[in-house]
Amino acid sequence: MNDSPGCPLADVAAAYAPRLSECSSEPGLVAALDQHAAAVCDALVPDRRGARGRSVGREELGDYVLGFTDRLAEVAWTEPAGHDFATLRLTAVCRLIRDHDLLDTGR
């Protein structure tokens, strides 16, 4: 996986990273992002006890994003002005991308 324009992580970061700043001043949204990020991590590493210290991987998060966005396309989801489940999940993915430096070309 690379940082080309077709990279699912780059695409999600470009579209939803601006929502991180929207959420940072709202405690309820911060808590929701925490929960969504934890749910994504749990989906990627189901047995967290055996994964202590393990970072979220670029490829596995990319695969997750592709599956999630494919499902959104299947149901003809459109992005709302506010925050729904899908926008919070994609914004949480952006936070994971940022926190784990997944778009850093040095990795």
Side-chain angles (χ1 to χ4, degrees):
M1 197 176 272
N2 59 41
D3 292 337
S4 69
C7 173
L9 297 184
D11 293 344
V12 168
Y16 294 93
R19 287 183 174 260
L20 286 170
S21 62
E22 294 173 16
C23 296
S24 65
S25 62
E26 297 289 330
L29 291 175
V30 171
L33 283 180
D34 289 345
Q35 291 173 345
H36 279 274
V40 170
C41 289
D42 287 346
L44 300 177
V45 186
D47 184 4
R48 302 292 295 172
R49 292 170 298 179
R52 291 192 196 277
R54 181 171 180 255
S55 293
V56 170
R58 184 179 189 160
E59 187 171 333
E60 64 188 350
L61 187 58
D63 289 346
Y64 177 89
V65 166
L66 287 174
F68 189 77
T69 56
D70 283 350
R71 180 64 183 135
L72 292 177
E74 288 173 9
V75 298
W77 175 81
T78 57
E79 183 178 352
H83 302 277
D84 67 353
F85 179 92
T87 57
L88 287 170
R89 184 59 55 106
L90 292 167
T91 304
V93 165
C94 288
R95 193 173 83 185
L96 291 170
I97 292 168
R98 182 196 65 199
D99 291 353
H100 294 276
D101 295 322
L102 297 178
L103 292 182
D104 179 7
T105 56
R107 286 191 175 224

